[in-house]
Amino acid sequence: MSIMDTNSTAGGHLIPLASRLVNGTAKGSARGGQSETDAARFILHLEQNHALGLGSPELDAFQSLIVSLVAAADDPKAVIAHVTELLCDHAENKAYLPKFIQECERLGLALQLTDDTVVDLPEIRTVDGRRTVVARTDEVAVAYDDVHVVGRCLTCSGELDDTALLYFPANALVGFRGVQDMTGADVKVCRTCVEASGLPLTAAQRGP
């Protein structure tokens, strides 16, 4: 399976960061344009893995960029904290992407990543006649979690068979109608996990 449309650009990634640098940490409105440019360069470094280099010209440029952002900030600690958060998120999303693609393949779904801020939670749409998971580029880890549970036991994450039962938490209130995954299907638990829990079956689990 291939990613149908990444829609990823350095500028697209940087809209949230640029606004925070300009509005919250840059010295004076005159530096706003430069802050946006620096922010875009910063994301480009992340995408090209220059932050992971060692002794390379790219790493030197990356370090210079960080220093310039911190030096120009009214609150250097806030800039450093935000940069650290971006680095962690970038590393996490990169680590989850192969697993995310694999889960989409398991379900026979295409994958489309986007930087569109209108997209909040990952969802399944029909794109070019094919069912496609549409997710934000900066929310790959979250999207993976949503896709991973589809067709799997909520307790042990094993793939389900025909003996699986509807999931009902022990503290469910009267009238609880179950939980649905992102496809709209009922979340289920494998019979082994249900039996191991020692809880009595609900009427819905027993069926007619």
Side-chain angles (χ1 to χ4, degrees):
M1 188 194 100
S2 60
I3 298 177
M4 293 179 58
D5 180 14
T6 58
N7 277 339
S8 298
T9 62
H13 277 297
L14 252 291
I15 293 173
L17 173 62
S19 61
R20 289 176 65 175
L21 288 173
V22 172
N23 297 327
T25 59
K27 288 183 178 178
S29 59
R31 296 191 57 86
Q34 183 60 43
S35 294
E36 280 198 45
T37 301
D38 289 343
R41 288 170 53 207
F42 176 70
I43 290 299
L44 184 60
H45 278 292
L46 284 182
E47 291 179 339
Q48 295 178 350
N49 290 327
H50 294 167
L52 305 179
L54 185 61
S56 65
E58 290 85 1
L59 179 60
D60 292 339
F62 180 82
Q63 291 174 330
S64 296
L65 176 57
I66 299 299
V67 171
S68 67
L69 289 175
V70 173
D74 291 329
D75 187 353
K77 289 184 178 180
V79 173
I80 293 173
H82 187 53
V83 168
T84 302
E85 181 182 359
L86 281 172
L87 283 168
C88 292
D89 290 346
H90 179 76
E92 182 181 36
N93 284 325
K94 184 176 180 181
Y96 271 93
L97 183 56
K99 296 189 290 184
F100 186 22
I101 293 173
Q102 187 175 31
E103 286 300 300
C104 289
E105 289 177 338
R106 174 178 68 88
L107 299 171
L109 300 171
L111 172 60
Q112 177 175 304
L113 298 179
T114 178
D115 289 326
D116 189 350
T117 55
V118 174
V119 177
D120 185 14
L121 298 175
E123 59 185 39
I124 295 178
R125 302 177 186 172
T126 300
V127 179
D128 294 332
R130 185 174 180 187
R131 296 180 73 215
T132 302
V133 177
V134 179
R136 287 252 301 270
T137 307
D138 58 351
E139 294 288 350
V140 169
V142 174
Y144 165 78
D145 287 339
D146 286 349
V147 174
H148 181 72
V149 300
V150 177
R152 294 184 184 274
C153 172
L154 187 64
T155 302
C156 70
S157 293
E159 292 199 39
L160 299 170
D161 57 25
D162 293 339
T163 66
L165 300 172
L166 291 174
Y167 165 71
F168 281 87
N171 59 350
L173 301 175
V174 175
F176 179 77
R177 297 184 177 181
V179 181
Q180 284 74 45
D181 60 30
M182 69 183 303
T183 68
D186 290 321
V187 172
K188 295 185 177 182
V189 181
C190 70
R191 183 169 290 275
T192 300
C193 287
V194 172
E195 293 174 350
S197 71
L199 297 173
L201 299 183
T202 66
Q205 287 175 325
R206 290 194 302 269

